[in-house]
Amino acid sequence: MSTDKSTNQVSLLPHCVPCKSQCCRYSSPILDRTERDYIVETTGKDYFVEVETPEGSYFVIGRKPDGSLRELETEPCSFLTPTGTCSIQQLKPLDCRAYPLRAVPQVNGTLSWHIHRACPAVGFLSERFLEAADHYARLSAGRFPPRLYQNWLKRFSSWTLEKDAVLREHEEEISDLRWWQSFFADGFESLFHRQQGEQESLHVATALAALAGLCDDSNVLELAGRRAWLSHASARSGTGTVTAYFGNPFPTEDDAHVFKERGYPPSLSADYRLLPFDGETFDLVLGHELCIGLWRDEEEDRRVLQEVKRVLRDTGTFVLGLPNLEYCVREELCDKTLMVSGKTWGISNYFDPESQRWIQHRTCQDQDGNSVTKASSCRLYTWPELSSLLQAAGFKTTAVYGGLDGSKLSIRSQKMVVLARA
Ligand code: SF4
Ligand code: SF4
């Protein structure tokens, strides 16, 4: 909760900034008297209200700074600053430290585990964060009898009681790469077409092919996600001379429909970290933005590059088109609102200097006001960093450009286009 949410130095900050601290705006943590007294004595601020139940009482942050009662479902927590930070960061309630994880005491003495899936950081929780959150969630829940705790959940934290909040044992989706599937599903395609037109796709494909010296009979591997530029260009030109493969680790349900509609060559779903080619090699491997950076860490990006090296012919070329970090930080760190097909898309961007990851939250709101937020996280590389990574993966000759026209890379270049050879 809040933009400086941290748990034992394990921070959700990169997601809390673009999220604008939503979780601090519609509910209240539960506190016992000891925790409440400690905050009041340390800060001199008493924004708490005691809630009586037949099983005892608990406290919620139920007052506004002017002393009037706070409407918990619609008014922000009184400790939230206008800039979206928690003013009691070092003292904040145990329940806030554990969020979006929650332990719920059961009458039989066990705990059931719940997670708030509306939190955009849910797909990105590290093991360290989960470990710390587990600790605080147990401490928080352990203070209250089950029925009293249930009273608080029903009145002030109803998400916990939703069916899909229950955490299944060994649930993998908390922190694995399945956020890809969700992020690029549903209305993303229409948004993408609005942002980048079809003509541009063909232009990119043609220019990339020229830069890489592509011949008619070249054997091409395209690591593409949905944006298969070369496959697209090949299908549209009708030449059929480019043998293009389509890789996507987590295809969405309607991918097959999209591929067919665009007339792509036979596609292949593949995990780029373990390419499914045994003996088949390529003259050109084309890596799009989704090729590296979206993986969990640098080590996984290195594995992708090693796989590319393995399937590249000795005379082959690897072309990688990535966002230029310096340009993104200078030009793209802003919020945008777009109207597409009757839906309103709110896009928030944040660059985390510590992890060098670009965090984007997209909130899609339909005409009835229902909204869903999805998040992505992408490591952006500087050219020296990427050059080292390529060398570590076994590439010997590399060159970098600021565009498909072979121009010099500068802070004004939108893209960083890299050519690497074995
Ligand atoms: S909802 Fe999640 S991402 Fe948003 S502020 Fe709360 S913890 Fe951070
Ligand atoms: S105490 Fe801090 S972290 Fe907890 S809800 Fe309030 S502002 Fe958010």
Side-chain angles (χ1 to χ4, degrees), residues 1-2 5 12 15-16 19 21-23 99 119-121:
M1 292 179 164
S2 94
K5 177 180 172 73
L12 296 185
H15 284 279
C16 296
C19 168
S21 304
Q22 292 306 321
C23 58
Y99 184 88
C119 164

Side-chain angles (χ1 to χ4, degrees), residues 171-402:
E171 190 175 345
E172 289 173 2
E173 68 191 54
I174 299 176
S175 261
D176 73 9
L177 286 162
R178 290 196 190 282
W179 63 264
W180 283 34
Q181 209 162 24
S182 156
F183 189 74
F184 297 111
D186 305 331
F188 176 79
E189 196 66 10
S190 57
L191 181 67
F192 162 68
H193 275 301
R194 156 87 182 231
Q195 289 182 317
Q196 201 148 21
E198 187 155 307
Q199 280 311 315
E200 197 175 343
S201 307
L202 297 175
H203 166 72
V204 171
T206 311
L208 267 170
L211 195 68
L214 196 63
C215 308
D216 274 359
D217 57 355
S218 296
N219 200 24
V220 177
L221 169 65
E222 186 165 28
L223 303 178
R226 272 187 177 182
R227 302 179 209 186
W229 307 126
L230 284 185
S231 304
H232 202 162
S234 172
R236 289 299 153 119
S237 66
T239 58
T241 50
V242 175
T243 306
Y245 289 87
F246 190 94
N248 184 356
F250 300 111
T252 58
E253 274 179 16
D254 57 348
D255 271 350
H257 173 70
V258 173
F259 302 163
K260 197 172 168 198
E261 195 178 63
R262 294 188 188 172
Y264 288 170
S267 61
L268 184 72
S269 291
D271 184 333
Y272 307 147
R273 296 165 299 181
L274 197 62
L275 291 172
F277 305 109
D278 189 12
E280 183 173 7
T281 55
F282 299 88
D283 299 300
L284 171 69
V285 177
L286 176 57
H288 293 275
E289 289 183 16
L290 301 182
C291 170
I292 65 167
L294 290 160
W295 303 102
R296 198 179 308 246
D297 55 29
E298 205 170 291
E299 184 48 41
E300 297 204 321
D301 286 337
R302 196 194 325 270
R303 278 170 59 193
V304 173
L305 297 179
Q306 281 167 341
E307 280 294 272
V308 170
K309 172 77 171 44
R310 181 177 68 79
V311 301
L312 196 64
R313 288 179 185 161
D314 290 345
T315 53
T317 307
F318 176 36
V319 179
L320 192 52
L322 297 176
N324 179 16
L325 185 154
E326 286 167 316
Y327 176 88
C328 287
V329 172
R330 253 172 31 119
E331 304 290 336
E332 302 280 350
L333 280 182
C334 56
D335 291 352
K336 292 178 196 161
T337 304
L338 299 168
M339 281 293 293
V340 183
S341 311
K343 291 180 179 167
T344 309
W345 291 79
I347 302 174
S348 303
N349 296 295
Y350 176 68
F351 182 72
D352 177 37
E354 199 181 320
S355 63
Q356 301 274 94
R357 294 188 84 92
W358 181 270
I359 310 295
Q360 185 172 89
H361 286 191
R362 288 196 180 121
T363 301
C364 181
Q365 187 174 58
D366 66 20
Q367 283 158 334
D368 298 328
N370 303 314
S371 68
V372 181
T373 299
K374 293 176 178 176
S376 70
S377 166
C378 181
R379 168 72 154 95
L380 296 186
Y381 289 98
T382 62
W383 166 234
E385 286 174 330
L386 191 59
S387 178
S388 303
L389 210 57
L390 284 160
Q391 280 178 29
F395 289 96
K396 290 196 180 67
T397 318
T398 54
V400 66
Y401 302 101

Side-chain angles (χ1 to χ4, degrees), residues 1-16:
M1 292 179 164
S2 94
T3 54
D4 48 3
K5 177 180 172 73
S6 64
T7 307
N8 258 3
Q9 297 172 2
V10 185
S11 175
L12 296 185
L13 171 75
H15 284 279
C16 296

